[in-house]
């Protein structure tokens, strides 16, 4: 019996040892062939900063950029390397923005994913209006978190104008663990993400654009090369399970910020940011199946319904869809691509087009007396 148990232990040891050796060989092999890998995979494995190096969990709000970051050459996406600075609260603001009269609430579009801080629409709107602007955007944030950020960081600074930047995934309700201040224990994940290429390879396979379950659609012609994700628009479909709670969370949160603005003497304006697929649908629809076309088409109705709700609540709003579609139209020369090829964020031209549209809108609202 003892000999049998010992034999089992030896066999288990051999299996575990063999697996460890195989992992080490694979890890070394990946490092050896790294320069030969496809660009997207090479970036994911060798050049992206580990999330845990850039973010912290803030109780009652969620995962935010680390305070006082001063990090050069961070690989943000597949084409851009950035220097990222954050202030002492973790927002991407220059030091002189503490008393900025215009404050932006939002997610990665306000944070400026993929572009320098100076290229963000937040900064460009300030330049066009001759006003200082402050960004209170955090990647991955949603409506409930915008309201918490306003309460904790913005209201006490008494801006004259608060710009709430709505994006499609804001209708995804925030997880209860975030609301109750329960962070995920990322200790093991942090170590693996920092030290293991096999772990990063697994993340790339699960999350990568071409190997995910999001059914990407590639579109290419002489001057436009995009990867599109029509299926992600299910979140804007009223039949989607999270739509109703997400919509209610948006309405409750926007009402909280409106009330907070009224109490502190600021004006609230909402900007509806379309998806890449909504902007380019007139041009790329031939690449979509009828079902995919319908998914994106349904998104337009949801945006119209949201704007109607905001009008009823007497909250000025701007839907950027028309302005961005116009900016993306092919002219005599090649059309301007406003988004990065693979991910759904604006490049610097997209930020520029959005800034011009919003600045024009705010000037018009001021002339009408809607925005002071």
């Amino acid at each position: 019996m003892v000999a049998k148990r010992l034999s089992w232990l030896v066999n288990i040891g051999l299996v575990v040892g063999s697996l460890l050796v195989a992992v080490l060989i694979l890890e070394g092999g990946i490092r050896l062939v790294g320069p030969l890998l496809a660009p997207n995979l090479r970036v994911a494995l060798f050049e992206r900063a580990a999330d845990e190096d850039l973010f912290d969990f803030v109780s009652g709000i969620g995962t935010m950029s680390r305070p006082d970051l001063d990090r050069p050459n961070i690989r943000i996406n597949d084409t851009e390397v950035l220097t990222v600075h954050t202030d002492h609260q973790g927002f991407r603001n220059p030091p002189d923005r503490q008393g900025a009269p215009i404050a932006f609430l939002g997610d990665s579009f306000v944070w400026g994913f993929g572009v320098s801080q100076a290229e963000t629409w937040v900064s460009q709107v300030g330049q066009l209006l001759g006003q200082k602007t402050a960004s209170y955007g955090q990647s991955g944030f949603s409506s409930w978190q915008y309201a918490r950020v306003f309460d904790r960081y913005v209201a006490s600074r008494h801006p004259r104008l608060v710009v709430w930047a709505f994006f499609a995934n804001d209708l995804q309700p925030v997880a209860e663990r975030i609301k109750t201040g329960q962070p995920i224990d990322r200790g093991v994940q942090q170590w693996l993400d920092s030290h293991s290429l096999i772990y990063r390879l697994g993340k790339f396979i699960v999350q990568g654009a071409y190997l995910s379950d999001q059914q990407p659609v590639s579109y290419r012609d002489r001057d436009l090369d995009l990867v599109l994700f029509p299926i992600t628009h299910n979140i804007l479909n009223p039949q989607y399970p999270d739509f109703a709670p997400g919509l209610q969370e948006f309405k409750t949160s926007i009402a909280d910020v409106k009330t907070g603005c009224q109490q502190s003497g600021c004006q609230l304006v909402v900007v509806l940011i379309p998806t890449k697929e909504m902007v380019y649908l007139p041009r790329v629809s031939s690449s979509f199946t009828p079902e995919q076309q319908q998914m994106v088409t349904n998104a337009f109705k949801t945006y119209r319904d949201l704007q109607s709700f905001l009008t009823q609540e007497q909250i000025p709003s701007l839907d950027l869809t028309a302005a961005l579609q116009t900016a993306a139209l092919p002219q005599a020369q090649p059309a301007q691509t406003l988004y990065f090829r693979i991910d759904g964020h604006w490049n610097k031209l997209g930020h520029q087009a959005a800034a011009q549209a919003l600045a024009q809108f705010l000037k018009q609202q001021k002339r009408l007396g809607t925005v002071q």
Side-chain angles (χ1 to χ4, degrees):
M1 180 65 71
V2 173
K4 187 174 182 180
R5 288 179 178 175
L6 182 61
S7 176
W8 271 103
L9 290 174
V10 170
N11 288 335
I12 290 173
L14 289 173
V15 170
V16 172
S18 298
L19 288 174
L20 290 175
V21 170
V23 167
L24 291 174
I25 292 174
L26 181 57
E27 187 82 20
I30 294 174
R31 297 178 187 275
L32 186 65
V33 303
L36 305 177
L37 297 173
N40 291 350
L41 182 55
R42 189 168 62 248
V43 166
L45 296 183
F46 295 98
E47 299 181 35
R48 286 190 188 275
D51 288 349
E52 290 76 10
D53 293 338
L54 304 178
F55 303 102
D56 275 333
F57 186 87
V58 177
S59 181
I61 292 186
T63 301
M64 294 177 54
S65 302
R66 284 179 180 248
D68 299 314
L69 276 177
D70 185 11
R71 296 286 302 277
N73 302 321
I74 294 177
R75 174 68 69 171
I76 296 294
N77 60 24
D78 297 307
T79 61
E80 302 300 314
V81 176
L82 300 178
T83 295
V84 175
H85 300 286
T86 59
D87 61 23
H88 69 285
Q89 293 176 323
F91 297 104
R92 205 174 174 204
N93 285 318
D96 64 344
R97 301 305 164 93
Q98 297 299 318
I102 304 176
F104 282 69
L105 299 172
D107 58 10
S108 51
F109 281 90
V110 172
W111 190 91
F113 188 92
V115 299
S116 69
Q117 189 275 332
E119 291 172 333
T120 64
W121 66 311
V122 174
S123 293
Q124 293 188 60
V125 165
Q127 294 167 10
L128 291 169
L129 297 178
Q131 302 273 359
K132 287 183 179 179
T133 54
S135 168
Y136 295 95
Q138 292 288 337
S139 294
F141 271 21
S142 191
S143 303
W144 182 88
Q145 290 157 308
Y146 300 169
R148 302 291 80 74
V149 167
F150 176 84
D151 290 341
R152 187 176 298 189
Y153 301 104
V154 180
S156 61
R157 295 180 178 176
H158 303 288
R160 295 199 303 270
L161 177 66
V162 172
V163 178
W164 175 303
F166 172 90
F167 187 63
N169 57 11
D170 289 359
L171 293 184
Q172 184 78 47
V174 172
E176 286 301 317
R177 67 162 192 85
I178 294 177
K179 294 180 179 180
T180 55
Q182 300 173 18
I184 296 176
D185 183 4
R186 300 179 64 87
V188 174
Q189 294 180 28
Q190 180 175 351
W191 189 91
L192 289 172
D193 204 18
S194 299
H195 297 89
S196 173
L197 294 181
I198 295 176
Y199 178 78
R200 286 195 168 199
L201 178 62
K203 285 175 61 175
F204 178 82
I205 293 174
V206 172
Q207 301 172 356
Y210 292 103
L211 299 177
S212 71
D213 61 356
Q214 294 183 332
Q215 301 175 18
V217 173
S218 295
Y219 178 89
R220 177 180 295 178
D221 63 16
R222 66 181 181 87
D223 57 14
L224 189 60
D225 184 8
L226 296 174
V227 175
L228 304 153
F229 298 89
I231 196 171
T232 59
H233 292 71
N234 273 337
I235 197 170
L236 296 169
N237 185 343
Q239 304 305 315
Y240 183 72
D242 283 339
F243 181 89
L247 180 61
Q248 184 56 52
E249 193 167 271
F250 167 76
K251 291 181 176 180
T252 300
S253 299
I254 203 82
D256 290 345
V257 173
K258 179 185 176 183
T259 299
C261 270
Q262 291 171 340
Q263 293 172 348
S264 59
C266 64
Q267 172 68 56
L268 174 63
V269 170
V270 175
V271 178
L272 302 175
I273 300 174
T275 66
K276 176 167 65 172
E277 294 74 20
M278 291 168 69
V279 170
Y280 285 100
L281 183 64
R283 188 165 178 186
V284 306
S285 60
S286 61
S287 297
F288 293 171
T289 66
E291 292 78 11
Q292 291 170 333
Q293 290 185 39
Q294 191 61 50
M295 289 178 190
V296 182
T297 300
N298 288 341
F300 290 106
K301 182 180 185 305
T302 296
Y303 271 53
R304 289 194 300 270
D305 291 344
L306 288 173
Q307 198 160 33
S308 295
F309 163 76
L310 294 167
T311 299
Q312 292 170 7
E313 296 299 310
Q314 298 182 325
I315 300 173
S317 64
L318 169 66
D319 186 343
L320 285 175
T321 305
L324 295 182
Q325 284 181 337
T326 299
L329 285 174
Q331 309 296 334
Q333 54 186 344
Q336 294 183 343
T337 302
L338 306 179
Y339 292 77
F340 293 108
R341 177 178 178 270
I342 291 180
D343 70 57
H345 294 93
W346 293 326
N347 58 24
K348 61 183 179 181
L349 294 177
H351 279 270
Q352 179 181 328
Q356 291 172 347
L358 178 55
Q360 182 179 3
F361 173 80
L362 292 176
K363 290 176 182 178
Q364 176 67 17
Q365 294 299 304
K366 188 172 183 179
R367 285 195 293 271
L368 295 174
T370 305
V371 172
Q372 301 302 317

